[in-house]
């Protein structure tokens, strides 16, 4: 074994593998400072910010074979301790102060929009303009302040900080641009000095296709990005290498199912982009998940589940995504998507349907009787338990069968109860104890 180094040598890097693919493979372990593609040799050299980050990456990839776009890649420490060739694909000029900042976001597990960036950067001075884009270095943004002094202060305060706990790390340089050009005010760009700009080019849909959206979490088609959520190892049977986002659900009960009920079920395993019931096959539906890993979780945990008297069949679709149309339901911007916040916690709760459902975001004055009234039409309730955690009311309801619990979840998740939107998931607890 070569002596540990912050430079990692990657082999079997085929022509189909991009710089971005490699960045996504290693971003979960820390900031990547340099990347050199050796195309003629099908290799790459990648420099982490420090040696411990590189050691953590290689430790995981000794146990889990890293795969990019279906190709196994092989990693080892490089004999170089430092890379002298800098990746030139950047609009940064480093340390010469300027009122425009170039911000790169590493380990991006949650969506970052103009609003999020404005919240983070505006405490340090008046932000005039923000433009976001996807480059080989990952998700980036240009942020223009009114004065150079504000930009210097923001960089000093925010460099290396995380936007969210444990992820979305800020890497900030001064840009070499003099003025930002903003044409549209939307989730990807904003001119705060000119609120009258259009949101999109005329003639173009204001809902861009999934692949066009800069700022949606980058796809994580391999184990590393989410292994941390599972304590370093994935659930048995999950490879973490799937990159197909769309799944086909079949053997549905067409008399009882609709898009929102499918959303309630599949959103337990990831964010939903859109859903389409197939009119020519009423017991089939396509569900497009946020990324390939989330699609793999849905296939793994839902295959064979019972719902409305039918045994679900869930497989990867041959369609890479669902095209928008009159018969598709859009969910990408839904605030009911569960993985926009606390993604790591939600991954840990993923499981096959159980007999027990967990209800949260309940009204403070709710009673056990009202909980029973909400879900009793879906099956035989064996036991209920109302309790308080962190000052918030929650409940467990145990049904006689998994199918009854699943029906209650798909029908009653996100319904309103005394002004509160009830959130329901499966609980992995086997029974309700009085001291819980």
């Amino acid at each position: 074994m070569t002596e540990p180094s912050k430079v990692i040598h990657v082999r079997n890097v085929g022509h189909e593998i991009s710089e971005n693919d490699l960045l996504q493979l290693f971003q979960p372990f820390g900031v990547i400072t340099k990347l050199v593609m050796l195309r003629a040799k099908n290799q790459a050299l990648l420099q982490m910010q420090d040696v411990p980050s590189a050691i953590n990456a290689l430790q995981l990839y000794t146990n889990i074979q890293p795969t990019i776009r279906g190709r196994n890649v092989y990693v080892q420490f490089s004999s170089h301790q430092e890379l002298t060739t800098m990746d030139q694909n950047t609009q940064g000029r480093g340390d010469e102060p300027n009122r425009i900042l170039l911000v790169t976001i590493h380990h991006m597990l949650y969506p970052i929009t103009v609003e999020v960036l404005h919240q983070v950067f505006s405490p340090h001075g008046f932000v005039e303009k923000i433009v976001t884009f996807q480059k080989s270095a990952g998700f980036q943004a240009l942020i223009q302040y009114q004065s150079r002094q504000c930009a210097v202060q923001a960089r000093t305060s925010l460099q290396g900080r995380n936007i969210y706990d444990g992820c979305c790390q800020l890497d900030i340089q001064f840009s070499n641009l003099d003025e930002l050009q903003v044409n549209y005010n939307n989730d990807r760009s904003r001119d705060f000095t000119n609120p009258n700009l259009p949101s999109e080019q005329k003639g173009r849909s204001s809902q861009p296709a999934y692949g066009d959206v800069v700022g949606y979490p980058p796809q994580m088609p391999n184990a590393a990005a989410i292994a941390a959520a599972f304590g370093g190892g994935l659930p048995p049977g999950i490879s973490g290498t799937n990159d197909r986002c769309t799944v086909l659900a079949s053997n549905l009960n067409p008399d009882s199912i609709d898009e929102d009920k499918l959303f309630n079920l599949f959103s337990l395993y990831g964010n939903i982009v859109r859903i389409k019931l197939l009119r020519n096959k009423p017991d089939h539906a396509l569900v497009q998940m946020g990324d390939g890993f989330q699609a793999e979780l849905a296939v793994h945990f839902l295959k064979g589940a019972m719902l409305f008297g039918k045994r679900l069949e869930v497989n990867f679709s041959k369609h890479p995504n669902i095209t928008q149309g009159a018969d598709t339901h859009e969910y990408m911007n839904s605030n009911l998507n569960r993985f926009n916040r606390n993604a790591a916690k939600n991954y840990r709760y993923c499981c096959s349907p159980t007999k027990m459902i967990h209800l949260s975001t309940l009204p403070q004055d709710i009673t056990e009787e009202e909980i029973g009234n909400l879900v009793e039409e879906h099956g035989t309730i064996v036991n209920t338990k109302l309790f308080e955690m962190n000052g918030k009311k929650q409940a467990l309801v145990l049904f006689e069968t998994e199918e009854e619990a699943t029906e209650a979840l798909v029908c009653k998740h996100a319904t309103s109860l005394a002004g509160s939107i009830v959130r329901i998931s499966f609980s992995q607890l086997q029974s309700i104890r009085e001291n819980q």
Side-chain angles (χ1 to χ4, degrees), residues 12 75 109 123 126 154 159 367 402 421:
N12 201 31
V75 298
L109 285 185
F126 181 69
Q159 170 61 12
T367 64
E402 280 110 357
I421 301 297

Side-chain angles (χ1 to χ4, degrees), residues 120-140:
V120 171
F121 284 87
S122 59
H124 302 282
F126 181 69
V127 174
E128 292 183 335
K129 300 175 183 177
I130 298 178
V131 177
T132 65
F133 48 94
Q134 199 79 34
K135 292 286 264 205
S136 63
F139 179 83
Q140 294 187 314

Side-chain angles (χ1 to χ4, degrees), residues 305-329:
M306 291 295 295
L307 179 61
F308 298 124
K310 300 276 194 175
R311 190 171 291 284
L312 276 185
E313 192 50 55
V314 186
N315 293 294
F316 296 110
S317 167
K318 61 177 189 276
H319 302 286
N321 48 44
I322 303 172
T323 49
Q324 284 179 306
D327 53 352
T328 61
H329 279 228

Side-chain angles (χ1 to χ4, degrees), residues 395-422:
L396 291 168
V397 178
L398 179 62
F399 284 91
E400 209 159 63
T401 68
E402 280 110 357
E403 183 179 4
E404 293 169 344
T406 306
E407 184 182 314
L409 184 146
V410 302
C411 295
K412 292 300 185 336
H413 172 68
T415 53
S416 180
L417 185 62
S420 295
I421 301 297
V422 179

Side-chain angles (χ1 to χ4, degrees), residues 417-432:
L417 185 62
S420 295
I421 301 297
V422 179
R423 181 187 168 108
I424 305 179
S425 50
F426 291 114
S427 170
Q428 296 177 53
L429 296 172
Q430 301 301 307
S431 62
I432 295 176

Side-chain angles (χ1 to χ4, degrees), residues 72-272:
N72 286 351
V73 294
Y74 304 96
V75 298
Q76 63 191 56
F77 291 116
S78 167
S79 53
H80 300 279
Q81 287 298 313
E82 189 86 29
L83 282 181
T84 51
T85 312
M86 184 66 184
D87 174 18
Q88 294 303 315
N89 192 5
T90 172
Q91 297 179 43
R93 60 179 171 195
D95 292 320
E96 189 184 329
N98 183 23
R99 69 182 181 134
I100 301 178
L101 299 175
L102 173 70
V103 180
T104 305
I105 297 184
H106 299 287
H107 192 196
M108 191 167 122
L109 285 185
Y110 303 137
I112 299 296
T113 60
V114 163
E115 279 79 10
V116 172
L117 290 167
H118 190 253
Q119 276 184 351
V120 171
F121 284 87
S122 59
H124 302 282
F126 181 69
V127 174
E128 292 183 335
K129 300 175 183 177
I130 298 178
V131 177
T132 65
F133 48 94
Q134 199 79 34
K135 292 286 264 205
S136 63
F139 179 83
Q140 294 187 314
L142 288 161
I143 295 175
Q144 179 175 314
Y145 278 99
Q146 202 166 29
S147 73
R148 192 165 67 176
Q149 186 183 349
C150 294
V152 171
Q153 185 185 330
R155 182 177 187 246
T156 305
S157 301
L158 295 172
Q159 170 61 12
R161 299 272 293 277
N162 290 337
I163 295 179
Y164 296 112
D165 192 20
C167 68
C168 300
Q169 185 179 38
L170 296 166
D171 185 5
I172 306 172
Q173 305 174 55
F174 293 110
S175 167
N176 57 6
L177 300 175
D178 297 319
E179 181 75 32
L180 288 186
Q181 179 64 41
V182 175
N183 299 320
Y184 308 109
N185 283 339
N186 55 31
D187 273 356
R188 303 177 297 288
S189 62
R190 188 75 50 87
D191 183 342
F192 294 95
T193 66
N194 182 4
N196 300 321
L197 287 176
S199 63
E200 288 292 339
Q201 195 174 334
K202 275 209 166 21
R204 192 176 159 194
S205 158
S206 64
Q207 284 273 330
Y210 169 57
D212 299 344
V213 180
V214 178
Y216 207 76
Q219 246 172 264
M220 301 280 185
N222 51 64
I226 30 62
F230 294 101
L234 295 171
I238 299 281
S239 73
T241 58
N242 170 61
D243 59 2
R244 289 170 291 178
C245 300
T246 305
V247 299
L248 177 68
S250 56
N251 203 32
L252 300 166
N253 184 331
D255 298 327
S256 306
I257 202 70
D258 61 33
E259 291 88 350
D260 287 347
K261 287 173 184 168
L262 283 170
F263 172 88
N264 289 347
L265 183 58
F266 279 82
S267 65
L268 290 166
Y269 307 101
N271 285 341
I272 307 298

Side-chain angles (χ1 to χ4, degrees), residues 344-416:
K345 189 168 86 173
N346 280 306
Y347 281 129
R348 280 199 296 277
Y349 290 153
C350 287
C351 64
S352 293
T354 66
K355 298 176 188 179
M356 181 102 69
I357 55 172
H358 174 253
L359 297 86
S360 56
T361 60
L362 296 168
Q364 279 302 108
D365 55 354
I366 192 86
T367 64
E368 264 184 38
E369 187 182 0
E370 288 171 301
I371 296 287
N373 293 341
L374 178 70
V375 296
E376 66 185 357
E377 66 182 287
H378 303 293
T380 305
I381 295 174
V382 177
N383 202 352
T384 59
K385 169 87 174 167
L386 191 61
F387 60 98
E388 202 165 294
M389 190 169 283
N390 301 328
K392 295 189 172 137
K393 283 289 171 69
Q394 302 185 22
L396 291 168
V397 178
L398 179 62
F399 284 91
E400 209 159 63
T401 68
E402 280 110 357
E403 183 179 4
E404 293 169 344
T406 306
E407 184 182 314
L409 184 146
V410 302
C411 295
K412 292 300 185 336
H413 172 68
T415 53
S416 180

